[in-house]
Structure formats: C-alpha cells, structure tokens
Amino acid sequence: MKRIGVTGHRNIPAEAYAHIRAAVQAALRTHTGSMEALSSLAVGADQLFATLALDHDADLTVVIPSGDYEDTFDGPEELADYRRLKDRATSEVRMAFPHSTDEAYYAAGTYIADHCDRLLAVWDGLPARGLGGTGDIVRYARERGKPVTVIWCEGVERA
C-alpha cells in the first residue's frame, strides 16, 4: 500500500485554491492500487487533501496532535467539517499531548513524515511561522530523505 502524507497551510488564498486542488488531484492520480492518506485534518490543505484522497478511495489515517484539538477549530462549521472527515477515517493516531501546542503540531507533522512514502506539501516556500509549521515539516522530511512534492501557485502570497 502506498502511503501519502500531507503538510500544508491552513489559509489557502482564494486565487490559488483551484490550482492547488488540481495539483493535489494530479498527485493522487499518479498512484494506482491501494493508498493510505495521512492527515491531521486541520482547516485548509489538510482537509482538502483528505477529501480528495477519500474521493480516490484511499484509506484515511487521521493524526490528532492533542487531546483538545477540536477546540482549535473556529466555529461550528469548521468543527463539523473536521468531524465529518474524521468519521470517514480508517484509523486514528493520537499524539500524547493534552493541549494544542507548537510541540504537539510538530509531533503530528513528524509522525506523518515518518510514516508516509511521499509527502505532499501545500507550501509557499517560506519559513514556518511557528514550530511545527509547514516549512519545519518539509525540512524534517527532506533531512530524512523522504520524497516531498511542493504544491503552490507561483506569484501568490499567503496572508
């Protein structure tokens, strides 16, 4: 089974969304046979990837950074989207952090990088804005020799 993980920004600019969606779909289409998708289901890139992977009949493994992770979602709609995807997951991995901290996010990101065959990074190429951000996870994966596919829309800046 091929295992594909994701790391990416929570805020995808509207002008980049269609391009990023198409690029994620294209990356998923390159794999035939069974596939496992690893995601923390954060708003943005994680949920987009998980949705598209499920559309490609992948088994979804959810990597939950902390015990209070659901408290990090803004409003009932974001939480409902998270729960909808989580309910469709084949398996769930929980990091041993009671609270959502940068360390918890870093642990979840490195778990995904360690347990995938390929990492998709919806990343603008800039340094992480806090420990465990996309740039940190890309660097971690590359240092370990993981194949990383960076997906972004050239010329678009993240807010």
Side-chain angles (χ1 to χ4, degrees):
M1 177 179 286
K2 187 76 171 180
R3 295 168 301 165
I4 302 175
V6 69
T7 186
H9 300 311
R10 290 178 184 239
N11 298 314
I12 299 174
E15 64 270 28
Y17 188 84
H19 171 82
I20 290 169
R21 179 183 172 87
V24 171
Q25 285 177 317
L28 291 169
R29 276 194 301 270
T30 64
H31 300 286
T32 58
S34 60
M35 180 174 27
E36 177 185 5
L38 294 95
S39 172
S40 290
L41 300 183
V43 169
D46 285 13
Q47 287 189 11
L48 173 62
F49 167 79
T51 299
L52 296 174
L54 287 166
D55 289 348
H56 281 84
D57 296 321
D59 292 334
L60 177 61
T61 296
V62 178
V63 181
I64 300 173
S66 64
D68 68 350
Y69 190 51
E70 287 194 0
D71 296 341
T72 67
F73 292 88
D74 292 332
E77 188 173 312
E78 282 188 7
L79 183 57
D81 290 342
Y82 164 78
R83 287 179 175 163
R84 177 184 49 79
L85 288 166
K86 185 174 166 251
D87 287 346
R88 295 182 62 195
T90 305
S91 61
E92 183 178 302
V93 175
R94 287 185 172 269
M95 300 290 97
F97 291 86
H99 302 292
S100 292
T101 61
D102 287 350
E103 291 78 14
Y105 296 136
Y106 185 77
T110 58
Y111 180 94
I112 290 171
D114 286 339
H115 290 86
C116 70
D117 301 311
R118 178 180 178 196
L119 185 69
L120 296 184
V122 178
W123 181 43
D124 61 6
L126 297 174
R129 293 179 178 172
L131 178 67
T134 304
D136 289 343
I137 304 308
V138 169
R139 184 181 67 250
Y140 176 90
R142 286 178 170 164
E143 287 172 353
R144 280 145 188 84
K146 288 285 178 182
V148 176
T149 301
V150 175
I151 296 171
W152 195 250
C153 188
E154 191 173 327
V156 175
E157 292 186 20
R158 189 168 48 109

